[in-house]
Amino acid sequence: MSVGVWRGELRIGGWALPLPQLPDNLTPAKWRRRALPWYAKPAADGGEGFALQVAKTDLVQAVTRRIKP
């Protein structure tokens, strides 16, 4: 999976149906790829339809967020 906004639709033969928009309060999915943390969450600029924002977690920002009370 690469960084960016991923959009989706269901394709069956010549038919294409748009997937529904993701809820805003959906918890981000988190995983590790090659020992680096990644996440996917609903895209803010998704418009109407399915859109995920996929990116690597900023390690410096994550560490400072953990250290600050």
Side-chain angles (χ1 to χ4, degrees):
M1 195 170 255
S2 61
V3 173
V5 175
W6 286 67
R7 301 186 187 281
E9 64 184 8
L10 176 63
R11 292 185 184 189
I12 303 173
W15 294 79
L17 300 170
L19 293 174
Q21 186 173 2
L22 294 168
D24 292 332
N25 62 353
L26 190 66
T27 304
K30 299 176 184 180
W31 70 94
R32 292 191 179 275
R33 180 177 177 197
R34 297 185 182 138
L36 295 175
W38 285 66
Y39 68 90
K41 65 180 183 178
D45 61 346
E48 295 190 29
F50 182 87
L52 282 175
Q53 175 69 44
V54 177
K56 295 178 189 176
T57 302
D58 182 0
L59 293 176
V60 173
Q61 193 175 45
V63 169
T64 55
R65 198 173 20 235
R66 290 239 177 191
I67 293 173
K68 288 184 180 181

